[in-house]
Amino acid sequence: MTDLRYPIGPFTFDGDTSANARSRRIAQIAALPEALGAAVAGLSERQLDTPYRPGGWTVRQVVHHVPDSHLNAYTRFKLALTEENPTIRPYHEARWAELQDTRATPIAVSLLLLSALHERWVNLLSSMDDDDWRRPMVHPDSGQLDLDQMLAQYGWHGAHHVAHVTALRAREDWD
């Protein structure tokens, strides 16, 4: 049986920092808002409140989580680009997913936020040169990272959460 937590597999960085790899990953970031919107299109309120796996977040929580996470990622990129080896601040994503705004805000708001955020982020990513991609940061839990690694991780992250929704839709025959 497939691990429902990781429908596309856990994240691993393949070490590919080529221009082609970066272009593919930036394209993933650019395509995510539309992909997530398509994944949740037509779902009822009951379906949005269905966990994507036993003990997992609801579809609604996943939709709100993605822009929360990517706002943090965008900020981390800007910190790494403007500071010397910054230590970035982790956040308690599970606690964020339980806050009232996640329960009360329509998903359309988070989809719109994700779209605007990704437009800005893709503009930033597209402007970076080879030296920029090597800029380091320190994550207190993960250690030293550079922006190539972060790009790969967030390209995966978006696809990972879209797959949570699309796999649930397929299992429940919601299409």
Side-chain angles (χ1 to χ4, degrees), residues 2-147:
T2 302
D3 186 341
L4 298 179
R5 294 173 302 165
Y6 299 103
I8 63 170
F11 172 72
T12 57
F13 181 56
D14 62 9
D16 188 351
T17 62
S18 68
N20 285 339
R22 288 177 187 148
S23 291
R24 281 192 316 274
R25 292 170 181 148
I26 292 169
Q28 282 182 295
I29 299 287
L32 178 61
E34 186 176 330
L36 186 58
V40 298
L43 293 180
S44 69
E45 292 297 309
R46 180 189 62 75
Q47 290 167 326
L48 290 171
D49 290 327
T50 302
Y52 74 88
R53 68 174 173 86
W57 287 344
T58 66
V59 173
R60 183 183 314 279
Q61 287 173 303
V62 168
V63 171
H64 290 305
H65 161 73
V66 173
D68 284 348
S69 174
H70 290 203
L71 278 165
N72 276 283
Y74 176 66
T75 301
R76 291 168 178 176
F77 266 78
K78 291 190 88 154
L79 289 169
L81 289 167
T82 61
E83 298 179 14
E84 295 304 316
N85 200 28
T87 298
I88 58 174
R89 191 174 187 287
Y91 73 105
H92 296 285
E93 62 185 35
R95 292 181 191 169
W96 285 38
E98 295 296 328
L99 292 173
Q100 182 60 28
D101 67 316
T102 300
R103 289 189 289 277
T105 304
I107 63 166
V109 173
S110 281
L111 292 171
L112 184 61
L113 173 60
L114 186 68
S115 181
L117 171 64
H118 277 232
E119 186 169 340
R120 287 274 311 269
W121 197 8
V122 167
N123 284 336
L124 177 67
L125 297 172
S126 299
S127 74
M128 291 169 57
D129 63 27
D130 286 341
D131 289 337
D132 291 335
W133 289 107
R134 289 188 285 275
R135 303 243 347 146
M137 71 183 78
V138 176
H139 188 289
D141 299 328
S142 305
Q144 187 90 10
L145 304 167
D146 66 26
L147 293 179

Side-chain angles (χ1 to χ4, degrees), residues 143-156:
Q144 187 90 10
L145 304 167
D146 66 26
L147 293 179
D148 266 316
Q149 291 168 288
M150 292 288 289
L151 179 65
Q153 183 173 1
Y154 283 95
W156 169 87

